[in-house]
Amino acid sequence: MNIDLTNILSHMDTTENVECTLENERFQYGADAYSILNNKPFTLNLVNVMGQKLEVRGETEIQLAVPCDRCLEDVTITIPIAIDYEFRVSEEQIVPEEDEEYSFLTEDYRELIVDAMVRDEILVNWPDKVLCRDDCKGICPVCGQNLNQKDCGCDRVVLDPRMAKFQDIFNEFKEV
Ligand SMILES: [Zn+2]
Ligand SMILES: [Zn+2]
């Protein structure tokens, strides 16, 4: 959703608490999209400080369904969102800082794009590793079986071709 800033920008030393919900049901990250599992409302606090500064603050948590890096089963991850911005204001307008591009403001700087702010926070706090459990066994590279559920019995030892004949000898020896 977008927050229209016209009112807060034109009223010096006022505060607005805006209840926000996300429009997006999924979080797009490169070619992947992850379902947002908890789209619960949260509050953004907007303060016009002496007509010179607009402060935007709010906290929430986003839960996403993300595949485990090893076995690809969906894992629920929780990402903390802490929005904390200050925009320079002059003559009831947001004035961009030099070199600053605000992806979460509309082009005319009159509206705040809540989804874009949350998106930036998700990117910043994205976990290095997503595992369903620390000792996830992953999937079998031969048949694709999820090895946490059962062992498929595939021979997953990749042998050097020169070693293969020793393996044969070893197997023959076992059969005796
Ligand atoms: Zn896993
Ligand atoms: Zn297998």
Side-chain angles (χ1 to χ4, degrees):
M1 67 175 263
N2 289 11
I3 299 174
D4 187 342
L5 300 172
T6 308
N7 190 53
I8 184 90
L9 286 175
S10 57
H11 291 87
M12 210 181 274
D13 294 324
T14 49
T15 293
E16 270 182 27
N17 287 312
V18 184
E19 189 167 270
C20 302
T21 48
L22 300 180
E23 269 168 49
N24 297 336
E25 287 171 4
R26 317 193 99 207
F27 167 68
Q28 195 81 31
Y29 190 12
D32 300 314
Y34 308 107
S35 294
I36 295 172
L37 302 174
N38 68 327
N39 197 351
K40 61 172 187 209
F42 64 99
T43 305
L44 272 185
N45 175 247
L46 283 64
V47 186
N48 177 335
V49 184
M50 298 168 70
Q52 299 191 331
K53 203 163 71 168
L54 178 70
E55 296 175 348
V56 179
R57 295 206 169 90
E59 285 184 12
T60 186
E61 281 181 346
I62 297 289
Q63 287 182 333
L64 295 168
V66 179
C68 170
D69 290 342
R70 289 187 200 151
C71 71
L72 308 179
E73 291 289 320
D74 270 353
V75 182
T76 300
I77 62 167
T78 302
I79 298 189
I81 306 294
I83 290 167
D84 188 352
Y85 282 103
E86 285 186 7
F87 301 102
R88 200 150 64 86
V89 175
S90 175
E91 293 173 6
E92 302 182 2
Q93 293 255 20
I94 287 180
V95 186
E97 301 287 343
E98 265 181 65
D99 302 330
E100 190 81 77
E101 253 187 69
Y102 299 125
S103 58
F104 36 79
L105 288 171
T106 51
E107 272 177 38
D108 58 3
Y109 293 142
R110 304 304 293 178
E111 287 176 43
L112 203 56
I113 308 166
V114 176
D115 281 69
M117 290 191 119
V118 169
R119 187 193 152 72
D120 277 10
E121 278 297 298
I122 294 175
L123 287 173
V124 168
N125 294 312
W126 193 259
D128 294 334
K129 216 175 224 181
V130 175
L131 290 178
C132 60
R133 58 188 214 207
D134 286 343
D135 63 345
C136 171
K137 297 192 183 86
I139 56 174
C140 169
V142 179
C143 73
Q145 167 68 40
N146 181 338
L147 298 172
N148 298 316
Q149 290 160 4
K150 66 168 185 172
D151 193 346
C152 50
C154 288
D155 184 1
R156 290 187 293 276
V157 182
V158 181
L159 286 170
D160 185 307
R162 287 166 302 171
M163 291 294 289
K165 61 180 179 199
F166 292 108
Q167 180 81 9
D168 289 344
I169 292 165
F170 177 73
N171 287 340
E172 278 167 31
F173 180 72
K174 257 197 325 193
E175 280 159 21
V176 173

